[in-house]
């Protein structure tokens, strides 16, 4: 089968012919139709992601497709049924084998492309804002990286939860995308002082941060007393250090969020979240923003769109 495979952390991945995997007991084999890209994939290429697999490996965390076969003595979705799977890797290929219990039936309201773009971005934002931060109606929610894959869903979900959403992104084009998803206020990270702009709006009650670096530091200084800060990732490449004495003075709370970690120690959090999110999608309350859809042969170009910040929302690769 064709697969976009990493064979070295020093050379670019490429589409190669590799053996088609056989499902083991407890697994299903999925005919993959769409795979969404994530910032973590770029870190995997370099070997710096917290869950980088041993070489060689196939990129692609979240996939949608049809169940093609079941492993021996395996109960699972029927052959031919459409499923969504968060597998962590292996999605940029024609076929992938995954634990049967990790497959979620695809709602009728979703296309393969929408489904692939759904779990990480929406799951991260919903668990972060609802389960972790307990975002309340009327609170000021500051979203950094607001036009990115997870940031844009935080804008959308925050607005749906009744927050006053302050979207921070670089450039008018990206800010316009955030505005369309429900942002109440816009801050251009490339030309405005984030701290001053947020304080002028009354300060932040909740900070959603997939960026890190100087933007986190500015947002930290713009927090209201008892604010909650959510480090989601570090797209800037800079992991900020947090002065504990400032936490004390303002009674601030910093709460990390690694969405995939809940699959290992508290999967019910993710299952409950997905149930809510699927319901919202079926009701037309949320809809994935996909800026680019490219075929498997152009997976390298798809990642370049993410790396150079030329995409908004999600980038999806289709597998024919």
């Amino acid at each position: 089968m064709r697969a976009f495979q990493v064979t070295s952390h020093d050379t670019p991945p490429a589409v190669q012919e590799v053996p088609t995997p056989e499902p083991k007991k407890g697994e299903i084999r999925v005919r993959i139709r769409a795979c969404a890209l994530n910032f973590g994939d770029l870190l995997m290429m370099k070997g710096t992601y917290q869950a980088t697999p041993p070489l060689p490996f196939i990129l692609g965390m979240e996939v949608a497709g049809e169940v093609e076969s079941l492993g021996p003595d395996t109960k699972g979705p029927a052959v031919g049924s459409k499923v969504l799977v968060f597998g962590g890797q292996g999605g940029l290929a024609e076929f992938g084998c995954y634990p049967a219990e990790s497959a979620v039936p695809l709602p009728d309201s979703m296309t393969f492309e929408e489904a692939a773009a759904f779990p990480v971005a929406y799951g991260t934002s919903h668990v972060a804002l609802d389960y972790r931060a307990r975002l309340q109606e009327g609170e000021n929610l500051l979203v950094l990286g607001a036009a990115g894959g997870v940031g844009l869903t935080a804008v959308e979900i925050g607005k749906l939860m009744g927050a006053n959403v302050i979207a921070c992104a670089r450039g008018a084009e990206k800010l316009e995308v955030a505005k369309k998803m429900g942002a109440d206020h816009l801050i251009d990270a490339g030309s405005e002082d984030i701290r001053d702009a947020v304080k002028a709006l009354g300060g932040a009650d909740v900070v959603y941060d997939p960026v890190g670096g100087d933007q986190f530091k500015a947002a930290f200084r713009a927090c209201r007393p008892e604010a909650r800060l959510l480090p989601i990732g570090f797209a800037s490449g800079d992991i900020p250090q947090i002065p504990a004495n400032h936490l004390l003075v303002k009674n601030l709370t910093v709460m990390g969020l690694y969405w995939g970690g809940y699959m290992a120690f508290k999967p019910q959090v993710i299952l409950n979240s997905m149930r809510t999110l699927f319901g919202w999608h079926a009701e037309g309350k949320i809809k994935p923003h996909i800026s680019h859809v490219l075929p498997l042969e152009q997976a390298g170009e798809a990642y370049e769109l993410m790396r150079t910040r030329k995409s908004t929302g999600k980038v999806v690769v289709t597998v024919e």
Side-chain angles (χ1 to χ4, degrees), residues 129-141 157-165 205-206 224 228:
L129 297 178
D130 182 64
Y131 180 77
R132 294 289 279 154
R134 308 293 184 186
L135 179 67
Q136 301 298 306
E137 185 174 354
E139 287 191 315
N140 279 358
L141 167 65
I157 290 174
K159 186 63 177 178
L160 190 56
M161 292 177 68
N164 182 42
V165 181
D205 295 299
V206 174
R224 288 175 169 175
R228 291 89 76 201

Side-chain angles (χ1 to χ4, degrees), residues 216-231:
F216 177 89
K217 296 172 187 176
F220 186 90
R221 297 171 67 196
C223 282
R224 288 175 169 175
E226 294 193 325
R228 291 89 76 201
L229 297 100
L230 294 153

Side-chain angles (χ1 to χ4, degrees), residues 39 42 174 235-237 304-312:
F39 184 77
L42 298 175
K174 291 186 175 182
S236 67
E304 189 65 11
L305 288 168
M306 287 181 55
R307 190 187 68 78
T308 56
R309 308 288 196 269
K310 292 180 179 177
S311 62
T312 55

Side-chain angles (χ1 to χ4, degrees), residues 128-304:
L129 297 178
D130 182 64
Y131 180 77
R132 294 289 279 154
R134 308 293 184 186
L135 179 67
Q136 301 298 306
E137 185 174 354
E139 287 191 315
N140 279 358
L141 167 65
L142 171 61
V143 180
L144 303 179
V150 292
L152 204 55
T153 61
V155 170
E156 190 178 12
I157 290 174
K159 186 63 177 178
L160 190 56
M161 292 177 68
N164 182 42
V165 181
I166 306 167
C168 181
R170 212 171 275 274
E173 184 178 345
K174 291 186 175 182
L175 287 172
E176 183 60 28
V177 174
K179 182 179 180 180
K180 289 180 180 178
M181 297 301 270
D184 298 288
H185 305 280
L186 307 175
I187 299 174
D188 191 331
S191 61
E192 297 183 65
D193 184 297
I194 296 173
R195 179 198 179 196
D196 289 348
V198 175
K199 287 180 74 69
L201 294 169
D205 295 299
V206 174
V207 176
Y208 182 98
D209 178 26
V211 178
D214 290 340
Q215 290 195 31
F216 177 89
K217 296 172 187 176
F220 186 90
R221 297 171 67 196
C223 282
R224 288 175 169 175
E226 294 193 325
R228 291 89 76 201
L229 297 100
L230 294 153
I232 303 298
F234 311 102
S236 67
D238 180 4
I239 301 175
Q241 302 303 302
I242 300 169
N245 59 318
H246 290 191
L247 296 177
L248 181 153
V249 171
K250 281 192 175 181
N251 292 292
L252 303 179
T253 302
V254 179
M255 46 187 71
L257 190 283
Y258 171 40
W259 179 80
Y262 279 105
M263 292 295 290
F265 72 91
K266 209 170 184 181
Q268 197 60 44
V269 170
I270 290 181
L271 294 175
N272 290 342
S273 173
M274 281 293 122
R275 192 174 296 112
T276 297
L277 291 167
F278 283 162
W280 285 349
H281 184 274
E283 294 168 9
K285 293 179 178 179
I286 57 176
K287 181 177 176 60
H289 175 86
I290 302 170
S291 65
H292 297 83
V293 178
L294 288 85
L296 181 63
E297 287 71 24
Q298 293 179 258
E301 296 174 38
Y303 278 115
E304 189 65 11

Side-chain angles (χ1 to χ4, degrees), residues 113-132:
E113 290 82 3
E114 286 180 324
F118 200 84
V120 171
Y122 280 103
T124 296
S125 293
H126 185 249
V127 172
L129 297 178
D130 182 64
Y131 180 77
R132 294 289 279 154

